[in-house]
């Protein structure tokens, strides 16, 4: 289980991004982290996977633990060895290398090296599109295929916890639906998923539990099916309201009502 | 015609040395974005170490060369571990400036250990021996230089293209953060890159110091003449480094023979300038070189 308690993160010791975030991800679950731009979602993902130091960020308070072991002070390689993998926002595949070479690089960690062949086959079974393009340069793949490759590459290390940072960003709706299935599929094979998303519809759909992060704080959380029925969530995140043109008065009310969130 | 063929072989031999230096330079640039100005000093230190192992310790020549390569690999990895790793995540130009001082440190170390005298580079073959094939004469040293460069660069290319370790190293060069996220030991692989760059530089130094030249402290400057090779080939491309290095060697040797005499007094040493004229022409017309990508930055 991933448990984060009162996590505070600052960049360059002055830019405070997370102000005491607590959340839990049960083993085997899909948990979504939802929030607008700049809420600190990616920062939280980095704090878990150990990428903060690269961005001159550091945990200034609180704890992060995977199972009963604290992750604080471990580098990304140690966390990867513990079974934590992250698919970064923007796919970030190795564009000058072929699809297959990307997968090999993904399986370069010590514990993964002996499973290289099996896992490559698994990846191709899961994404037949990648199998067709295994010798192609990854930079020439379409956006959707690149995202498949990024997920397949992260799975090469055989992670127990997979963090997906905005996997559907900038992709066509059909690809988004496909990835929805992929997430469920990955989860059904026993991998815990922490899904960081802006797309509320998708996040609420595939996850069991959802946290809503705004301005560095968790402002709301609950079972995804319940949140979907919540009138505030419907209004602010799903864009559902009673229809008709809105008056300025209503918009003002919107701002007033949104205060409960912060 | 014979003359032209002979000059071509001599040019390719010089080009092979430049290629070794340039490939090391490109490897460091690609993996960490640094322009490694210490690359020339790797050649100097390597050449002097070789004279120590082969002439002073009287080791068999191939063993001495292997030992030189291993020691220089350790030196390269040590520089990454102690100095460059502290600069990880900083803008590359800071690291590039630091390499200038690393180069100074290395040349001071050479001065301190070996003094300012020159040393002859021992060779197991007769350094003045001439081989003749179909009327074309060239020295055995030239032939060995070309062969060693082909074997070394070929092996390196195989490792980089075909082995998981090479793929992981290319992954680090492609996207360092993504490599971190996948649990790839980025720092260790960067260290290995420096080790390889240093040992390639050392081998280049060994052959650069062979008869009629010798190992001197000023060799770092000599090796720095390989810099146009990197610009011609493109900073990011190992293939470009090889082609640029060969072109540079040919340009200098042919230039010395065919161009210099026509310029009178002005022509003395003009072939060295010629390389830089071509480099400047490339910077103006094709700034990313023959094989480089467009979004290159310059220091």
């Amino acid at each position: 289980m991933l448990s984060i308690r009162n996590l505070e993160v600052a960049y360059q010791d002055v830019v405070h991004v997370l102000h005491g975030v607590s959340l839990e991800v049960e083993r085997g679950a899909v948990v979504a982290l939802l929030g607008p731009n700049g809420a600190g979602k990616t920062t939280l993902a980095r704090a878990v996977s150990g990428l903060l130091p690269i961005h001159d960020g550091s945990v200034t308070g609180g704890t992060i633990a995977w199972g009963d072991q604290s992750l604080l002070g471990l580098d990304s390689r140690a966390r990867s060895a513990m079974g934590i993998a992250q698919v970064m926002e923007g796919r970030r595949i190795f564009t000058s290398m072929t699809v297959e070479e990307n997968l090999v690089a993904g399986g370069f960690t010590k514990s993964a090296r002996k499973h290289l062949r099996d896992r490559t086959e698994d990846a191709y079974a899961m994404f037949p599109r990648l199998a067709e393009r295994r010798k192609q340069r990854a930079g020439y793949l379409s956006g959707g295929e690149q995202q498949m490759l990024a997920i397949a590459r992260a799975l090469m290390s055989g992670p127990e916890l997979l963090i997906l940072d905005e996997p559907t960003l900038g992709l066509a709706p059909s690809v988004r639906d496909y990835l929805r299935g992929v997430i469920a599929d990955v989860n059904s094979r026993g991998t815990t998923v922490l899904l960081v998303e802006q797309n509320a519809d998708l996040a609420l759909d595939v996850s069991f539990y959802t946290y809503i992060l705004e301005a560095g704080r968790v402002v709301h959380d609950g079972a995804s099916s319940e949140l979907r029925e919540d009138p505030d969530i419907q209004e602010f995140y799903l864009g559902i309201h009673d229809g008709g043109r809105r008056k300025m008065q209503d918009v003002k009310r919107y701002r007033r009502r949104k205060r409960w969130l912060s | 015609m014979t003359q032209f063929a002979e000059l071509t072989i001599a040019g390719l031999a010089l080009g092979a040395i430049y290629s070794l230096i340039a490939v090391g330079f490109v490897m460091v640039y690609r993996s960490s974005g640094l322009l490694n100005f210490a690359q020339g000093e790797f050649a100097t230190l390597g050449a002097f170490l070789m004279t120590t192992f082969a002439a002073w310790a009287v080791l068999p020549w191939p063993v001495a060369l292997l030992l030189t390569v291993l020691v220089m690999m350790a030196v390269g990895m040590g520089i990454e571990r102690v100095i460059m790793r502290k600069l990880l995540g900083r803008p590359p130009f800071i690291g590039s400036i630091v390499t200038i001082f690393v180069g100074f440190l290395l040349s001071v170390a050479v001065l301190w250990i070996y003094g300012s005298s020159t040393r002859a580079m021992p060779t197991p073959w007769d350094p003045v021996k001439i081989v003749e094939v179909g009327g074309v004469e060239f020295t055995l040293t030239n032939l060995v230089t070309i062969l060693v460069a082909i074997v070394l660069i070929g092996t390196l290319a195989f490792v980089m293209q075909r082995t998981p370790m090479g793929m992981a190293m290319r992954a680090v060069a492609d996207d360092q953060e993504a490599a971190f996220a996948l649990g790839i030991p980025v720092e260790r692989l960067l260290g290995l890159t420096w080790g390889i760059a240093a040992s390639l530089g050392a081998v280049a130094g060994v052959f650069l110091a062979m008869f009629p030249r010798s190992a001197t402290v000023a060799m770092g400057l000599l090796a720095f003449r390989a810099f146009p090779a990197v610009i011609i080939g493109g900073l990011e491309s190992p293939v470009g480094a090889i082609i640029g290095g060969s072109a540079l060697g040919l340009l200098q040797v042919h230039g010395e023979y065919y161009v210099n005499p026509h310029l009178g007094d002005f022509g003395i040493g003009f072939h060295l300038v010629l390389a830089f004229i071509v480099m400047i022409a490339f910077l103006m017309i094709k700034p990313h070189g023959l094989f480089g990508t467009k979004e290159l930055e310059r220091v």
Side-chain angles (χ1 to χ4, degrees), chain A residues 46 51 54-55 76-77 80 84-86 88 92-98 101 104-106 108-109 116 153-154 157, chain B residues 30 89 161-162 164-165 167-168 170-172 174-189:
Chain A
R46 283 176 185 156
L51 293 178
I54 298 173
H55 297 274
S76 58
R77 199 153 58 87
S80 164
I84 297 173
Q86 185 188 353
M88 282 194 293
R92 305 289 286 269
I93 52 157
F94 302 127
T95 49
S96 71
M97 295 160 61
T98 66
E101 289 170 344
V104 173
F108 189 68
T109 54
L116 189 60
R153 189 181 64 176
S157 62
Chain B
R30 272 191 49 132
Q161 292 299 322
R162 293 273 175 260
M165 164 128 54
M167 291 173 198
R170 279 155 58 209
V172 172
D174 237 29
D175 189 333
Q176 208 173 77
E177 190 185 0
F180 267 116
L182 293 168
I184 293 173
V186 175
E187 289 103 337
R188 208 182 300 158
L189 291 176

Side-chain angles (χ1 to χ4, degrees), chain B residues 3-252:
Chain B
Q3 184 66 48
F4 184 82
E6 283 172 3
L7 287 173
T8 301
I9 291 174
L12 285 176
L14 185 61
I17 294 171
Y18 287 149
S19 298
L20 285 171
I21 296 172
V23 168
F25 194 93
V26 166
M27 281 194 70
V28 170
Y29 180 80
R30 272 191 49 132
S31 62
S32 50
L34 299 180
L35 297 173
N36 175 20
F37 293 107
Q39 188 69 21
E41 305 307 330
F42 289 151
T44 318
L45 186 56
F48 275 100
L49 282 175
M50 182 67 186
T51 61
T52 304
F53 294 142
W56 181 74
V58 219
L59 291 169
W61 201 82
V63 178
L65 186 63
L66 186 68
L67 200 58
T68 305
V69 165
L70 291 178
V71 171
M72 285 306 291
M73 182 160 271
V75 168
M77 290 169 91
I79 288 170
E80 191 278 334
R81 182 73 192 82
V82 177
I83 302 170
M84 305 320 293
R85 195 171 292 183
K86 305 272 184 293
L87 302 169
L88 209 63
R90 300 280 180 100
F93 89 92
I94 295 178
S96 303
I97 304 273
V98 168
T99 63
I100 297 176
F101 294 95
V102 170
F104 280 149
L105 283 178
L106 288 175
S107 59
V108 167
V110 169
L111 260 177
W112 184 49
I113 301 169
Y114 295 98
S116 55
S117 58
T118 61
R119 290 187 175 211
M121 176 62 64
T123 46
W125 58 88
D126 181 2
V128 287
K129 175 153 174 81
I130 304 285
V131 185
E132 199 203 307
V133 179
V136 179
E137 293 181 334
F138 49 89
T139 66
L140 196 55
T141 304
N142 280 348
L143 192 65
V144 176
T145 308
I146 295 171
L147 287 178
V148 167
I150 289 174
V151 169
L152 269 184
I153 293 175
T155 311
L156 182 64
F158 177 82
V159 169
M160 294 303 286
Q161 292 299 322
R162 293 273 175 260
T163 66
M165 164 128 54
M167 291 173 198
M169 287 174 83
R170 279 155 58 209
V172 172
D174 237 29
D175 189 333
Q176 208 173 77
E177 190 185 0
F180 267 116
L182 293 168
I184 293 173
V186 175
E187 289 103 337
R188 208 182 300 158
L189 291 176
L190 284 177
L192 192 60
T193 307
W194 275 84
I196 291 171
S199 41
L200 287 179
V203 173
V206 168
F207 284 93
L208 196 58
M210 272 178 197
F211 187 82
R213 295 173 291 255
S214 53
T216 70
V217 182
M219 264 178 64
L221 277 177
L222 220 61
F224 200 70
R225 287 187 197 146
F227 195 67
V230 184
I231 299 294
I232 294 171
L235 269 168
E236 293 205 307
S237 163
V239 178
I242 298 162
I243 290 174
S246 306
L248 184 65
L250 289 171
L251 186 73
Q252 286 194 359

Side-chain angles (χ1 to χ4, degrees), chain A residues 11-255:
Chain A
Y11 287 108
Q12 286 153 7
D13 294 327
V14 285
V15 186
H16 292 264
V17 176
L18 298 181
H19 313 281
V21 172
S22 298
L23 64 81
E24 281 183 356
V25 182
E26 293 283 348
R27 247 174 226 272
V30 179
V31 170
L33 185 65
L34 198 58
N37 272 339
K41 305 187 297 297
T42 297
T43 299
L44 188 124
R46 283 176 185 156
V48 177
S49 61
L51 293 178
L52 280 179
I54 298 173
H55 297 274
D56 206 2
S58 55
V59 173
T60 53
T63 59
I64 311 173
W66 174 238
D68 45 16
Q69 202 178 349
S70 171
L71 293 181
L72 296 179
L74 298 178
D75 63 6
S76 58
R77 199 153 58 87
R79 297 185 200 205
S80 164
M82 287 170 68
I84 297 173
Q86 185 188 353
V87 175
M88 282 194 293
E89 185 181 340
R91 312 190 276 272
R92 305 289 286 269
I93 52 157
F94 302 127
T95 49
S96 71
M97 295 160 61
T98 66
V99 169
E100 186 135 322
E101 289 170 344
N102 266 273
L103 295 179
V104 173
F108 189 68
T109 54
K110 209 175 223 168
S111 56
R113 252 170 268 178
K114 50 183 173 287
H115 302 292
L116 189 60
R117 189 155 300 168
D118 304 345
R119 285 186 185 150
T120 310
E121 289 313 310
D122 286 351
Y124 288 144
M126 195 165 175
F127 302 103
R129 288 287 279 282
L130 295 182
E132 288 166 28
R133 291 163 198 269
R134 61 169 78 186
K135 297 288 175 210
Q136 273 186 30
R137 261 201 190 207
Y140 296 139
L141 299 180
S142 74
E145 287 163 349
Q146 290 189 3
Q147 189 64 58
M148 292 175 208
L149 178 58
I151 294 173
R153 189 181 64 176
L155 290 174
M156 289 298 288
S157 62
E160 291 172 49
L161 172 67
L162 183 67
I163 305 166
L164 294 170
D165 194 354
E166 310 230 3
T168 64
L169 193 72
L171 297 180
S174 63
V175 180
R176 207 183 295 156
D177 288 339
Y178 176 77
L179 288 173
R180 193 184 294 226
V182 167
I183 294 169
D185 194 17
V186 168
N187 179 245
S188 71
R189 293 168 192 222
T191 308
T192 310
V193 177
L194 175 59
L195 174 67
V196 175
E197 259 299 345
Q198 280 197 54
N199 184 328
D201 192 36
L202 176 111
L204 291 172
D205 194 44
V206 296
S207 65
F208 310 166
Y209 201 88
T210 298
Y211 289 88
I212 293 176
L213 193 69
E214 286 197 7
R217 288 185 178 85
V218 171
V219 292
H220 209 57
D221 65 295
S224 302
S225 51
E226 286 170 24
L227 286 188
R228 190 174 268 284
E229 302 306 317
D230 187 299
D232 290 321
I233 301 296
Q234 285 194 345
E235 183 169 346
F236 299 141
Y237 282 92
L238 297 170
I240 301 170
H241 53 88
D242 339 325
R245 274 179 70 98
R246 306 193 104 196
K247 293 183 192 136
M248 191 57 196
Q249 218 176 351
D250 293 334
V251 179
K252 273 190 184 155
R253 191 182 69 101
Y254 172 104
R255 296 197 72 82

